[in-house]
Amino acid sequence: MSRYRLKHIMQVAAAVAAVALLLASTESAAADNMVNTGYFGDVAIKGYDPVAYFTQNEAVEGSPKFNYHWLGANWHFASAEHRDLFIKDPAKYAPQYGGYCADGVSYGTVTTNIDPKAWRIIEGKLYINYDPGAADGFEKIPAKVVDSKKHWNEVQQTLVTEKLDKDWQHSAP
């Protein structure tokens, strides 16, 4: 193999490694920001108060008056007290899987459309689903919780890929 060819192969390999490193860091940042804000807007879980599921045992609409910006989304709360509880420990109150349909995640799919009234708290974690039937099934079939945990990395990868594609399309001339 000639020196020129070897040098060319090394340059290509270095370029591929640099692109892979850039994509890995971009995907990691995007994965940390996986909050379902629906198809339009930037409000998490359709404006419902995530703390109310735990404190009132019901789905309660939040208000933009009691807003907190977290993980790239606006979270609405029914009161300043709920907002402050969330700020102190968002992981305790935020829905699993960024508020994407937990039942969909259990199948390894992304379901952006959710019904905030179709929810369950299982083992201290909030799961929001597409509809009441999905919420019932998610609660009654324990394997769905296990499957959703197993598939979440795959679903995140799909979300990251979709986000990168969307960002790429918007930045293209």
Side-chain angles (χ1 to χ4, degrees):
M1 182 179 306
S2 73
R3 281 187 173 199
Y4 172 76
R5 180 135 174 92
L6 183 59
K7 182 179 176 183
H8 180 71
I9 289 171
M10 296 298 286
Q11 288 172 334
V12 169
V16 167
V19 168
L21 183 61
L22 177 64
L23 284 176
S25 65
T26 303
E27 287 180 7
S28 175
D32 291 341
N33 231 1
M34 293 289 131
V35 175
N36 182 3
T37 57
Y39 296 107
F40 308 103
D42 63 351
V43 178
I45 60 174
K46 295 188 174 183
Y48 277 72
D49 179 344
V51 175
Y53 293 104
F54 293 90
T55 61
Q56 295 175 235
N57 200 33
E58 65 179 320
V60 175
E61 287 189 63
S63 167
K65 178 180 174 184
F66 305 111
N67 183 68
Y68 180 61
H69 192 80
W70 182 65
L71 292 182
N74 287 302
W75 297 76
H76 292 175
F77 302 90
S79 68
E81 178 186 2
H82 282 191
R83 181 196 57 215
D84 295 345
L85 283 169
F86 186 88
I87 290 170
K88 287 179 187 172
D89 193 0
K92 177 179 180 178
Y93 298 106
Q96 299 301 289
Y97 316 122
Y100 287 91
C101 174
D103 190 57
V105 173
S106 75
Y107 291 102
T109 62
V110 176
T111 305
T112 300
N113 196 19
I114 57 161
D115 177 356
K117 294 179 183 177
W119 62 279
R120 295 293 184 275
I121 293 177
I122 301 170
E123 296 180 9
K125 302 291 184 185
L126 173 61
Y127 297 92
I128 297 179
N129 292 279
Y130 177 77
D131 63 22
D136 287 343
F138 197 81
E139 181 178 38
K140 291 176 183 172
I141 305 170
K144 288 192 175 230
V145 174
V146 173
D147 289 345
S148 64
K149 290 176 184 176
K150 180 176 71 175
H151 289 297
W152 179 231
N153 285 337
E154 168 188 337
V155 170
Q156 279 184 303
Q157 188 62 41
T158 300
L159 291 166
V160 167
T161 301
E162 288 175 0
K163 181 173 178 12
L164 291 174
D165 287 347
K166 186 177 175 183
D167 290 349
W168 178 263
Q169 290 171 0
H170 287 296
S171 67

